[in-house]
Amino acid sequence: MPEQPPYLHIADLLRRRISDGEWSPGERLPSRARLAADYGVGDAVVRRAQELLISQGVLEGRAGSGTYVAEPRERLRMVRSLRRARRDGSPFRADMADLGKTGTWEAQSEAKVPAPPGIAARLRLTEGDLCVRTDYEFLAEGKPVQLSTSWEPLSITGGTIIVLPEGGPHAGRGVVERMDVIGIRVSRAVEQPEPGEASAREAQMLGIPRGSLVTRIERTYYADDGRPVETADIVVPAARAEIVYELEISPDQ
């Protein structure tokens, strides 16, 4: 087994000292130079260890002041479920309601956007086929907790009353319910979650440090006939939310 990088070892040691109560929430850590001397490593190793713990929500950096133990934050529980999407219209709003919070979002759609290669492959389109792209910022009690970029083929929704996900009489009702309006039943969703780090843009929108740990979910909805009708890239900051999958079990399975 390869040896653990030094900064990960230092991060583990700092995390253990915090969990043991040596430093309390809101308390300032010793200087980086002091910690480096204590552990016999360079400043750069301590800096990387602290940056990792900041990205995980264990520490927080304050410009010109130092590094502090972060105050505990409630992690939101987000349930990934096709049943919930079909029943509640907006799974995010349902998740927030279950937590006693108000879930809202801001969205900006752009019609007639040529599908880039990766999106075209996911939607079984030819590269350059036109789509409606919608960028979302999801908010819990007014604070950003999730980002999403959604793509829908214009060949499916063009000329219908649901062409804009956040416009018309069915605005904000979610992909499953909106597709029902035009006679398309969504029966399957495929999601691929992967860990990652927040880009500069994502960090700015979510109000987290650049490089913070996030979960990236590539999701595609499929109709009864097997057609992909929507695909999205979802970004959830790991320190703010836990993702739970709800699986349906049919009686005959």
Side-chain angles (χ1 to χ4, degrees):
M1 180 179 295
E3 186 177 348
Q4 186 182 47
Y7 81 95
L8 291 180
H9 177 61
I10 300 303
D12 286 343
L13 294 176
L14 294 175
R15 189 184 292 107
R16 189 175 308 142
R17 291 173 73 175
I18 293 169
S19 64
D20 287 345
E22 183 174 341
W23 299 310
S24 303
E27 186 174 347
R28 185 180 184 273
L29 265 64
S31 69
R32 190 176 298 158
R34 170 67 183 276
L35 290 172
D38 286 349
Y39 291 123
V41 298
D43 284 7
V45 173
V46 176
R47 185 183 69 252
R48 287 198 67 187
Q50 290 181 334
E51 288 174 347
L52 174 62
L53 294 177
I54 289 172
S55 75
Q56 294 174 340
V58 177
L59 298 177
E60 63 178 37
R62 301 179 189 174
S65 178
T67 304
Y68 293 75
V69 179
E71 297 286 348
R73 283 186 177 183
E74 176 190 8
R75 294 182 77 212
L76 302 176
R77 181 182 176 90
M78 295 186 178
V79 180
R80 315 296 302 173
S81 166
L82 184 58
R83 178 191 61 81
R84 174 172 287 214
R86 182 174 292 119
R87 184 195 69 199
D88 299 311
S90 168
F92 177 76
R93 186 187 288 127
D95 283 342
M96 295 305 102
D98 286 349
L99 296 170
K101 299 181 181 295
T102 300
T104 59
W105 56 86
E106 297 176 1
Q108 182 174 355
S109 292
E110 185 178 355
K112 299 183 178 180
V113 180
I119 297 300
R122 284 153 59 175
L123 291 173
R124 298 180 194 163
L125 302 175
T126 299
E127 182 180 344
D129 283 355
L130 298 182
C131 294
V132 175
R133 169 182 166 151
T134 305
D135 293 315
Y136 291 91
E137 182 179 15
F138 292 89
L139 311 166
E141 302 295 344
K143 296 181 180 179
V145 294
Q146 178 179 305
L147 303 176
S148 178
T149 300
S150 167
W151 298 78
E152 296 180 355
L154 202 59
S155 58
I156 291 177
T157 63
T160 73
I161 60 174
I162 68 160
V163 64
L164 295 178
E166 299 300 320
H170 301 282
R173 297 308 301 167
V175 176
V176 176
E177 187 171 340
R178 288 175 46 253
M179 290 296 169
D180 273 342
V181 172
I182 59 173
I184 296 175
R185 178 175 171 80
V186 175
S187 59
R188 184 167 62 99
V190 175
E191 295 196 347
Q192 180 178 337
E194 291 186 354
E197 296 183 355
S199 66
R201 175 182 174 275
E202 292 165 347
Q204 182 179 19
M205 294 186 70
L206 290 166
I208 58 178
R210 181 176 180 176
S212 294
L213 297 181
V214 298
T215 301
R216 300 185 184 279
I217 303 174
E218 178 185 300
R219 181 202 68 208
T220 304
Y221 281 131
Y222 294 86
D224 273 346
D225 59 9
R227 284 181 298 166
V229 298
E230 187 264 4
T231 195
D233 292 299
I234 300 165
V235 181
V236 181
R240 294 188 182 172
E242 60 180 10
I243 299 171
V244 178
Y245 280 85
E246 179 182 89
L247 305 178
E248 297 182 46
I249 305 297
S250 299
D252 58 349
Q253 289 183 330

